[in-house]
Protein backbone atom coordinates (compact mmCIF):
# COMPACT_ATOMS: atom_id res chain seq x y z
CA UNK A 1 0.00 0.00 0.00
CA UNK A 2 1.37 3.40 -0.97
CA UNK A 3 0.58 6.38 1.20
CA UNK A 4 -0.78 9.16 -1.02
CA UNK A 5 -0.58 12.80 0.06
CA UNK A 6 -2.27 15.74 -1.70
CA UNK A 7 -1.25 19.36 -1.21
CA UNK A 8 -2.73 22.78 -1.94
CA UNK A 9 -5.74 22.92 -4.24
CA UNK A 10 -5.44 19.17 -5.00
CA UNK A 11 -6.82 18.25 -1.57
CA UNK A 12 -9.73 20.67 -2.11
CA UNK A 13 -10.54 18.94 -5.42
CA UNK A 14 -10.35 15.45 -3.88
CA UNK A 15 -11.94 16.20 -0.52
CA UNK A 16 -9.12 14.29 1.24
CA UNK A 17 -5.46 14.91 2.05
CA UNK A 18 -4.09 11.47 2.73
CA UNK A 19 -5.05 7.87 2.03
CA UNK A 20 -3.63 4.44 1.29
CA UNK A 21 -3.80 3.12 -2.28
CA UNK A 22 -2.72 -0.33 -3.40
CA UNK A 23 -0.93 0.14 -6.75
CA UNK A 24 2.35 -1.39 -7.96
CA UNK A 25 3.25 1.60 -10.16
CA UNK A 26 2.73 5.34 -10.16
CA UNK A 27 0.92 5.08 -13.52
CA UNK A 28 -1.48 2.48 -12.05
CA UNK A 29 -2.05 4.70 -9.03
CA UNK A 30 -2.95 7.66 -11.26
CA UNK A 31 -5.35 5.42 -13.24
CA UNK A 32 -6.93 4.15 -10.04
CA UNK A 33 -7.45 7.66 -8.62
CA UNK A 34 -8.83 9.10 -11.86
CA UNK A 35 -11.14 6.08 -12.25
CA UNK A 36 -12.66 6.94 -8.89
CA UNK A 37 -12.68 10.70 -9.37
CA UNK A 38 -12.25 12.11 -12.88
CA UNK A 39 -11.87 15.69 -11.62
CA UNK A 40 -9.00 14.61 -9.37
CA UNK A 41 -7.40 12.63 -12.20
CA UNK A 42 -7.47 15.74 -14.36
CA UNK A 43 -6.08 17.92 -11.56
CA UNK A 44 -3.22 15.46 -10.90
CA UNK A 45 -2.27 15.53 -14.59
CA UNK A 46 -2.48 19.35 -14.65
CA UNK A 47 0.28 21.74 -15.65
CA UNK A 48 3.04 22.11 -13.12
CA UNK A 49 1.93 19.29 -10.81
CA UNK A 50 5.02 17.40 -9.60
CA UNK A 51 5.26 14.04 -7.85
CA UNK A 52 7.60 13.17 -5.02
CA UNK A 53 8.29 9.57 -3.96
CA UNK A 54 9.57 9.43 -0.40
CA UNK A 55 10.21 13.19 -0.64
CA UNK A 56 12.27 13.04 -3.86
CA UNK A 57 10.81 14.58 -7.06
CA UNK A 58 10.44 12.00 -9.85
CA UNK A 59 9.48 12.28 -13.51
CA UNK A 60 7.68 9.59 -15.50
CA UNK A 61 6.57 6.25 -14.10
CA UNK A 62 8.06 4.45 -11.11
CA UNK A 63 7.48 1.29 -9.11
CA UNK A 64 5.84 1.74 -5.71
CA UNK A 65 6.85 -0.36 -2.71
CA UNK A 66 4.78 -1.02 0.37
CA UNK A 67 4.81 2.16 2.40
CA UNK A 68 6.13 4.42 -0.38
CA UNK A 69 5.01 8.00 0.28
CA UNK A 70 3.57 9.49 -2.92
CA UNK A 71 3.06 13.25 -2.75
CA UNK A 72 1.32 15.25 -5.48
CA UNK A 73 2.59 18.82 -5.41
CA UNK A 74 0.78 21.57 -7.33
CA UNK A 75 2.81 24.63 -8.38
CA UNK A 76 4.51 26.00 -5.27
CA UNK A 77 3.44 29.45 -4.24
CA UNK A 78 6.34 30.50 -2.07
CA UNK A 79 5.73 31.77 1.44
CA UNK B 1 22.47 26.71 10.07
CA UNK B 2 18.85 26.33 11.03
CA UNK B 3 15.70 25.97 8.89
CA UNK B 4 12.48 25.47 10.80
CA UNK B 5 8.72 25.66 10.35
CA UNK B 6 6.32 26.61 13.12
CA UNK B 7 2.55 26.73 13.60
CA UNK B 8 2.96 29.26 16.42
CA UNK B 9 3.44 33.04 16.34
CA UNK B 10 7.03 34.08 17.05
CA UNK B 11 8.95 37.13 18.25
CA UNK B 12 11.50 38.29 15.62
CA UNK B 13 13.38 40.35 18.24
CA UNK B 14 14.02 37.32 20.41
CA UNK B 15 15.23 35.37 17.36
CA UNK B 16 17.64 38.17 16.44
CA UNK B 17 19.07 38.27 19.99
CA UNK B 18 19.55 34.52 19.99
CA UNK B 19 21.12 34.50 16.50
CA UNK B 20 23.55 37.36 17.30
CA UNK B 21 24.75 36.00 20.64
CA UNK B 22 28.41 35.04 20.96
CA UNK B 23 29.51 36.12 17.49
CA UNK B 24 32.77 37.93 18.25
CA UNK B 25 34.20 37.50 14.71
CA UNK B 26 31.05 37.81 12.61
CA UNK B 27 30.90 41.55 12.11
CA UNK B 28 27.50 41.69 10.38
CA UNK B 29 24.07 40.23 10.97
CA UNK B 30 21.22 41.15 8.62
CA UNK B 31 17.64 40.09 9.15
CA UNK B 32 14.35 40.28 7.31
CA UNK B 33 10.91 39.80 8.84
CA UNK B 34 7.89 39.38 6.57
CA UNK B 35 4.53 40.37 8.05
CA UNK B 36 1.08 39.26 6.84
CA UNK B 37 -0.81 42.15 5.23
CA UNK B 38 -4.51 42.80 5.72
CA UNK B 39 -4.80 44.27 2.17
CA UNK B 40 -7.35 46.81 3.48
CA UNK B 41 -9.68 44.10 4.81
CA UNK B 42 -9.45 41.89 1.69
CA UNK B 43 -7.46 39.26 3.60
CA UNK B 44 -8.88 38.02 6.88
CA UNK B 45 -6.27 35.29 7.26
CA UNK B 46 -3.49 33.66 5.34
CA UNK B 47 -3.10 29.91 5.41
CA UNK B 48 0.20 28.31 4.47
CA UNK B 49 0.62 24.62 3.89
CA UNK B 50 4.04 22.93 3.79
CA UNK B 51 5.19 19.36 3.16
CA UNK B 52 6.95 18.65 6.46
CA UNK B 53 10.48 17.33 5.89
CA UNK B 54 10.47 18.12 2.16
CA UNK B 55 9.89 21.85 2.64
CA UNK B 56 12.71 22.25 5.18
CA UNK B 57 15.06 20.15 3.02
CA UNK B 58 14.38 22.23 -0.11
CA UNK B 59 14.86 25.52 1.78
CA UNK B 60 18.03 24.04 3.32
CA UNK B 61 19.50 23.40 -0.15
CA UNK B 62 19.03 27.06 -1.07
CA UNK B 63 20.41 28.19 2.29
CA UNK B 64 23.52 26.08 1.55
CA UNK B 65 23.85 27.79 -1.84
CA UNK B 66 23.53 31.20 -0.17
CA UNK B 67 26.16 30.25 2.38
CA UNK B 68 28.62 29.25 -0.34
CA UNK B 69 27.84 32.14 -2.69
CA UNK B 70 28.01 34.94 -0.11
CA UNK B 71 30.57 33.33 2.21
CA UNK B 72 28.21 33.36 5.19
CA UNK B 73 29.14 32.28 8.69
CA UNK B 74 25.59 31.20 9.44
CA UNK B 75 21.92 31.34 8.34
CA UNK B 76 18.68 30.97 10.27
CA UNK B 77 15.23 30.71 8.67
CA UNK B 78 11.96 30.35 10.53
CA UNK B 79 8.72 30.15 8.54
CA UNK B 80 5.15 30.06 9.80
CA UNK B 81 2.68 27.48 8.52
CA UNK B 82 -1.02 27.12 9.25
CA UNK B 83 -3.34 30.10 9.80
CA UNK B 84 -1.66 33.50 10.06
CA UNK B 85 -3.49 36.68 11.02
CA UNK B 86 -2.69 40.10 9.48
CA UNK B 87 0.09 41.78 11.45
CA UNK B 88 1.73 38.52 12.48
CA UNK B 89 5.23 37.63 11.32
CA UNK B 90 5.25 35.04 8.54
CA UNK B 91 8.96 34.59 7.95
CA UNK B 92 12.24 35.48 9.65
CA UNK B 93 15.60 35.25 7.87
CA UNK B 94 18.93 36.04 9.54
CA UNK B 95 22.33 35.94 7.88
CA UNK B 96 25.73 36.33 9.51
CA UNK B 97 28.89 37.31 7.64
CA UNK B 98 32.18 39.09 8.30
CA UNK B 99 30.99 42.15 6.36
CA UNK B 100 27.63 43.83 5.84
CA UNK B 101 27.30 43.57 2.02
CA UNK B 102 27.33 39.76 2.06
CA UNK B 103 24.84 39.65 4.94
CA UNK B 104 22.42 42.09 3.24
CA UNK B 105 22.66 40.42 -0.17
CA UNK B 106 22.25 36.90 1.17
CA UNK B 107 19.14 37.95 3.08
CA UNK B 108 17.69 39.54 -0.09
CA UNK B 109 18.59 36.44 -2.16
CA UNK B 110 16.96 34.08 0.34
CA UNK B 111 13.76 36.13 0.50
CA UNK B 112 13.45 36.23 -3.31
CA UNK B 113 13.66 32.42 -3.28
CA UNK B 114 11.28 31.99 -0.34
CA UNK B 115 8.64 34.27 -1.91
CA UNK B 116 8.63 32.60 -5.32
CA UNK B 117 9.86 29.01 -5.27
CA UNK B 118 9.79 27.56 -1.76
CA UNK B 119 7.48 24.55 -1.29
CA UNK B 120 4.50 26.25 0.29
CA UNK B 121 0.89 26.43 -0.84
CA UNK B 122 -0.82 29.63 0.10
CA UNK B 123 -4.52 30.28 0.61
CA UNK B 124 -5.93 33.72 1.28
CA UNK B 125 -9.17 33.88 3.18
CA UNK B 126 -11.15 37.01 2.48
CA UNK B 127 -14.68 38.17 3.27
CA UNK B 128 -15.90 36.49 0.04
CA UNK B 129 -14.23 33.12 0.61
CA UNK B 130 -10.84 31.51 0.14
CA UNK B 131 -8.54 31.33 -2.87
CA UNK B 132 -5.22 29.64 -3.61
CA UNK B 133 -2.46 32.09 -4.48
CA UNK B 134 0.41 31.57 -6.91
CA UNK B 135 3.58 33.68 -7.11
CA UNK B 136 3.28 37.02 -8.90
CA UNK B 137 5.22 38.00 -12.02
CA UNK B 138 7.10 40.42 -9.77
CA UNK B 139 8.18 37.52 -7.51
CA UNK B 140 9.54 35.63 -10.55
CA UNK B 141 11.24 38.76 -11.89
CA UNK B 142 12.86 39.34 -8.49
CA UNK B 143 14.37 35.86 -8.63
CA UNK B 144 16.04 36.48 -12.01
CA UNK B 145 18.17 39.19 -10.40
CA UNK B 146 20.33 36.40 -8.93
CA UNK B 147 20.98 34.41 -12.10
CA UNK B 148 24.68 33.84 -12.50
CA UNK B 149 25.95 34.67 -15.97
Amino acid sequence: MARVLLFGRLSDVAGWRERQVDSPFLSALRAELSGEDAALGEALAGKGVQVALDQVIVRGDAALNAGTEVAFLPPMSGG
Amino acid sequence: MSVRLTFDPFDPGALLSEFSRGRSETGAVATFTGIARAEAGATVALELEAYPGFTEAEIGKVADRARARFGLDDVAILHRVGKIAPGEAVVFVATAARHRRAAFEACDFLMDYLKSKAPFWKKEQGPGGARWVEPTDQDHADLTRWEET
Side-chain angles (χ1 to χ4, degrees):
Chain A
M1 294 287 256
R3 184 164 157 251
V4 180
L5 305 176
L6 302 181
F7 289 89
R9 60 183 163 78
L10 297 177
S11 58
D12 283 357
V13 172
W16 52 271
R17 302 170 82 83
E18 176 176 346
R19 57 175 279 201
Q20 306 282 331
V21 179
D22 196 4
S23 296
F25 289 95
L26 183 56
S27 53
L29 184 143
R30 285 178 181 278
E32 168 116 12
L33 292 176
S34 45
E36 287 174 20
D37 180 344
L40 176 61
E42 198 176 313
L44 295 181
K47 189 166 170 270
V49 175
Q50 301 185 85
V51 182
L53 298 186
D54 291 329
Q55 308 212 338
V56 177
I57 300 280
V58 296
R59 285 182 177 77
D61 202 7
L64 305 178
N65 301 314
T68 299
E69 188 174 278
V70 183
F72 288 94
L73 311 173
M76 295 157 187
S77 70
Chain B
M1 190 177 89
S2 129
V3 175
R4 289 184 301 135
L5 304 177
T6 178
F7 280 93
D8 302 317
F10 61 82
D11 173 7
L15 295 174
L16 169 59
S17 298
E18 185 192 318
F19 186 76
S20 307
R21 194 169 300 134
R23 294 194 187 277
S24 52
E25 294 297 332
T26 283
V29 168
T31 70
F32 177 85
T33 303
I35 294 171
R37 272 192 300 262
E39 305 283 13
T43 303
V44 177
L46 188 66
E47 196 169 347
L48 278 176
E49 187 182 12
Y51 180 8
F54 179 83
T55 297
E56 294 96 316
E58 292 294 309
I59 295 173
K61 286 181 201 166
V62 178
D64 277 336
R65 265 169 44 204
R67 198 153 60 159
R69 177 168 174 172
F70 299 100
L72 301 178
D73 292 345
D74 201 3
V75 184
I77 298 171
L78 181 65
H79 212 295
R80 280 285 293 282
V81 288
K83 275 213 171 102
I84 304 158
E88 289 182 353
V90 178
V91 58
F92 174 85
V93 174
T95 54
R98 287 189 63 80
H99 300 287
R100 70 182 179 283
R101 184 86 55 221
F104 277 134
E105 287 187 355
C107 209
D108 197 11
F109 168 87
L110 285 165
M111 277 313 305
D112 282 346
Y113 162 75
L114 286 165
K115 285 297 289 182
S116 60
K117 282 273 182 73
F120 292 101
W121 296 276
K122 189 187 325 191
K123 203 180 213 178
E124 279 178 2
Q125 297 184 340
R131 64 177 196 107
W132 291 100
V133 181
E134 305 213 335
T136 64
D137 291 342
Q138 183 63 54
D139 290 332
H140 286 304
D142 286 344
L143 199 61
T144 63
R145 292 194 298 142
W146 303 101
E147 283 169 4
E148 285 170 293
T149 50

